[in-house]
Amino acid sequence: MKITHIGGPTAVFELGGLTFLIDPAFDEPREYQLPGRVMRKLTGPAVPFAELGRVDVALVSHDQHKDNLDDTGRELLSSIPTVLSTPDAATRIPGVRGLANWESIDLPRPDGGVLTVTGVPALHGPEGAEAVLGVVTGFVLQGDGLPTVYVSGDNANVGLVKEIADRFAPIDVAILFAGAARTTLLDGANLTLTSTDAVEAARLLTPATIIPVHTEGWSHFSEGPETFITAFEAAGLADRVTLLKHGVTTTLK
């Protein structure tokens, strides 16, 4: 499995001969004026979309927030053959295939096999957050001879991680959205995993390699990659973490 971190939650990885793009956000740094608040993007993409080559599948955890699907990313979706997201997103964006929790879709692999993508639950904040922030999904990818990969999406609930870990064990690679995202929408509550939460999630996901994303690039991420790795070092789990350098393709063993 090869993976490249583009910035924020956006990453591209190759699995089973297919190329997957997570939460396309390719705008340059800017401010987004939203009802009652401003979102600030601090850094641009490490790799422009045009340089990624073929993208077979986009995994969009949700379409409501600019850090997960910005203006450029939304325009690019029409050029990607398969776009998977929430059922709600499918009602708003033409061509999107919505996956309910635990619903799966089989994607044909170039080698004649099948790669299965399952939508898994995510909660973008404390209990009841859906009423304010909308429904979010994570994804689990599986296939014969392939590592099992979990993409958490904007999830702040460790209990849901346990459900997913129990159902799909063993998970080999976990791409965790962390950063303890906070805004004024829910009185500063954590909207994604804190670094401490991520440690707890990693224990539940043993022996998975942990790849943190969604920890930098936007002003509402309150815990950066340094905080993440420090928490894992303190827990004695630093050897489980692969911290990606922006724009550099890493091969996971």
Side-chain angles (χ1 to χ4, degrees):
M1 176 178 169
K2 295 181 178 180
I3 184 166
T4 307
H5 192 189
I6 307 299
T10 308
V12 61
F13 65 91
E14 299 174 18
L15 187 69
L18 300 174
T19 300
F20 294 83
L21 177 62
I22 304 170
D23 281 5
F26 287 92
D27 286 351
E28 292 300 324
R30 55 170 291 189
E31 292 187 350
Y32 302 89
Q33 184 63 56
L34 305 173
R37 62 194 178 100
V38 175
M39 286 186 72
R40 295 179 177 86
K41 186 173 187 181
L42 306 177
T43 58
V47 183
F49 180 80
E51 295 182 12
L52 293 182
R54 188 192 77 248
V55 174
D56 300 297
V57 184
L59 303 175
V60 181
S61 65
H62 59 301
D63 65 311
Q64 301 96 319
H65 302 138
K66 297 292 188 180
D67 55 323
N68 302 92
L69 184 65
D70 64 12
D71 296 342
T72 302
R74 189 176 293 267
E75 292 174 3
L76 294 170
L77 290 184
S78 62
S79 69
I80 300 173
T82 301
V83 180
L84 304 178
S85 190
T86 65
D88 287 350
T91 68
R92 292 186 286 260
I93 304 176
V96 170
R97 168 70 155 84
L99 291 177
N101 289 341
W102 315 119
E103 182 183 1
S104 298
I105 183 172
D106 289 337
L107 304 177
R109 291 160 48 177
D111 63 4
V114 170
L115 194 156
T116 300
V117 181
T118 303
V120 295
L123 180 59
H124 197 359
E127 292 295 333
E130 297 100 330
V132 178
L133 297 177
V135 175
V136 178
T137 190
F139 304 92
V140 171
L141 294 82
Q142 300 169 289
D144 290 343
L146 300 177
T148 296
V149 179
Y150 167 46
V151 180
S152 75
D154 274 2
N155 174 54
N157 189 296
V158 176
L160 293 178
V161 176
K162 184 178 189 309
E163 288 185 38
I164 294 160
D166 288 346
R167 184 178 290 232
F168 294 98
I171 289 174
D172 300 294
V173 178
I175 302 171
L176 296 184
F177 289 33
R182 296 172 186 156
T183 73
T184 57
L185 285 177
L186 290 172
D187 297 323
N190 293 317
L191 307 184
T192 53
L193 295 174
T194 67
S195 298
T196 301
D197 291 336
V199 166
E200 186 177 350
R203 290 194 173 108
L204 295 169
L205 292 162
T206 301
T209 296
I210 305 299
I211 299 178
V213 298
H214 199 285
T215 63
E216 41 56 52
W218 294 77
S219 62
H220 59 285
F221 298 170
S222 67
E223 295 183 3
E226 298 82 5
T227 305
F228 190 98
I229 197 65
T230 296
F232 274 74
E233 288 171 347
L237 297 177
D239 61 333
R240 297 264 311 280
V241 178
T242 296
L243 194 62
L244 301 177
K245 183 177 180 181
H246 286 182
V248 177
T249 300
T250 298
T251 300
L252 304 179
K253 299 179 181 179

